[in-house]
Amino acid sequence: MKIKVFREPAKLQKWCRARKLAGAKIALVPTMGALHDGHMSLIRAAKRRGADEIVVSVFVNPVQFGPNEDYEKYPRDEKADLAKCAAEGATAVFFPTPANMYLDRHSVYVNEEDLSRGLCGGRRPGHFRGVCTVVAKLFNLAHPDFAVFGQKDYQQAQVIRRMVRDLNFDLKIVVAPIVREKSGLARSSRNAYLSDAERGKALAISKGLGELKPGSSLKALSRSLEKAGLVVDYVECVDAETLEPRKMPKKGCCVLVAAFCGKTRLIDNRVL
Ligand code: PAF
């Protein structure tokens, strides 16, 4: 079956509603495009869970970017994204435009006010407001039985779970493991910005996280990143559920890293 392509929110919504009424199990895979193996693993996770329809949304959501961030230069390649989705077995792709997602005088936003305060939320004001708003809209458009997110964006996954719980969205959140390159580097669309030399430096992140043990020093991890030539945005250990700060890594914690490699901000994490 040929993959369906939707650009109009109302058309996607109509089709998903009809498929749902016909008894289809719908999976949503929200993405910002520039699809890589990590995204493909989300589509595969949807397949494994028996979805009849797998809807991949590809939308670089302006509302989640800060004024000095990479919204303009974020990689976009619709043709390649469509081909990858089709090859992996997605059944529909949604390519909306900012103008049809955010109508003139759009004025309603979703704010999560607990889990989004620290980590990336603390450094990127408004980021999770943008994420929650667009994801809530996608849920309303696609009527998914479940939606699949990647663990690389650990805080995002927790924030979205909370949104689903607190706003009574009738769907399940599936979080798929981080997919890494052979070198260990976590797959990210932003890796496309890295030069070869920067890729070498970036490896310090996955290496450092991989070597962590209960009781390891976060300061030492931070120093090893700086030594490799990265500029640390944060290295933090939090409770894996509540995201409350913990002094040192131990079981049930998540250690999260955000660091600049040149101009590129990379994130990675490890649950102990
Ligand atoms: O993780 C992402 O790519 C984005 O934050 C998401 C969930 C697609 C919302 O724009």
Side-chain angles (χ1 to χ4, degrees), residues 30-32 39 57 59 61 64 74 127 131 134-135 138 149 153 156 160:
T31 81
M32 297 206 301
H39 297 111
S57 64
F59 180 53
N61 172 33
Q64 71 188 70
Y74 197 86
H127 171 65
V131 169
V134 80
V135 171
L138 292 168
F149 294 85
D153 296 280
Q156 168 173 282
I160 288 167

Side-chain angles (χ1 to χ4, degrees), residues 14 19 56 66 83 126 134 167 227:
K14 190 170 167 208
R19 292 300 297 130
V56 180
V134 80
L167 296 185
K227 214 171 140 201

